[in-house]
Amino acid sequence: MRITLTALMILVVPAYAGDDHAAIRSGRTFVEKNCSPCHAVGSTGESPHPDAPAFRSLSTRYPLVNLEESLAEGILTGHPDMPEFKVQPKDISDIIRYLNSIQK
């Protein structure tokens, strides 16, 4: 049985797209639960904390991929009263995918 590249793409891309949507939803859920008391975590709205940047504009400050290491090690900087926290490895990729999905 021969499978052409087109046929393979038809089979693989929808599965990946579904996984990507699930990852984005998971990342959104995480930031809504843990970050929204201070940050605007959606594609609109103002941050509740005046020193907390809106997540939709983070890519104007630095490449979002750089957040992976910060999230893995524990974010120690941010707005002055930002709590220190660590993110579980399974959540990091989902958070980055979500953040990429809302950038201006």
Side-chain angles (χ1 to χ4, degrees):
M1 180 170 132
R2 284 182 50 188
I3 297 179
T4 65
L5 180 58
T6 303
L8 184 60
M9 292 297 289
I10 289 170
L11 295 172
V12 173
V13 170
Y16 176 76
D19 288 345
D20 197 46
H21 291 303
I24 289 170
R25 279 193 309 274
S26 175
R28 181 181 67 226
T29 299
F30 183 93
V31 299
E32 285 173 347
K33 179 181 177 187
N34 295 285
C35 309
S36 65
C38 295
H39 296 270
V41 297
S43 57
T44 62
E46 297 298 316
S47 291
H49 190 295
D51 293 330
F55 280 4
R56 68 182 168 278
S57 65
L58 290 178
S59 65
T60 63
R61 295 170 174 243
Y62 42 81
L64 292 179
V65 71
N66 291 354
L67 280 176
E68 289 182 38
E69 185 176 347
S70 295
L71 289 169
E73 293 177 356
I75 295 180
L76 302 174
T77 61
H79 50 85
D81 55 347
M82 183 170 161
E84 182 180 338
F85 67 94
K86 287 195 176 189
V87 180
Q88 296 301 313
K90 66 181 184 62
D91 296 320
I92 294 172
S93 176
D94 295 349
I95 293 167
I96 299 299
R97 284 184 180 183
Y98 173 69
L99 292 176
N100 275 313
S101 78
I102 63 167
Q103 295 309 293
K104 291 185 197 177

